[in-house]
Amino acid sequence: AFWPYPVIKRLTEQYKLGISPDEFTVASMAEKLNSLTPDKISEYKFNSHRNALLLSSETEKPKLLKLVNEVLF
């Protein structure tokens, strides 16, 4: 479960990584957590493993370093 920060919520929904409450409240988070089923948890785990490399900062690191070097040098 992830708090509903816009970027995190978008990635969570896009890649089906888990759930995110509609509000930043404990009650809203508890409602979402209580709605989980074992099948949904397995699905989210599978999707997380499948997309881990794609969403890893290590994947973006070379692009960022190249950009920084271009700006600095």
Side-chain angles (χ1 to χ4, degrees):
F2 303 92
W3 287 109
Y5 295 102
V7 171
I8 300 298
K9 189 169 179 79
R10 180 180 54 81
L11 290 173
T12 299
E13 292 172 355
Q14 180 179 349
Y15 293 98
K16 297 180 176 71
L17 302 174
I19 56 172
S20 184
D22 297 324
E23 303 170 356
F24 284 92
T25 65
V26 173
S28 184
M29 178 65 86
E31 183 180 333
K32 287 289 187 173
L33 288 172
N34 288 330
S35 73
L36 287 172
T37 64
D39 287 341
K40 272 297 185 190
I41 293 170
S42 293
E43 176 186 342
Y44 295 144
K45 284 182 177 183
F46 176 81
N47 291 338
S48 294
H49 288 289
R50 184 178 60 183
N51 292 293
L53 184 60
L54 175 69
L55 299 172
S56 168
S57 62
E58 289 298 316
T59 304
E60 296 298 316
K61 187 177 178 180
K63 296 176 196 172
L64 182 59
L65 289 175
K66 182 178 182 232
L67 180 64
V68 168
N69 281 324
E70 289 173 1
V71 170
L72 294 177
F73 303 107

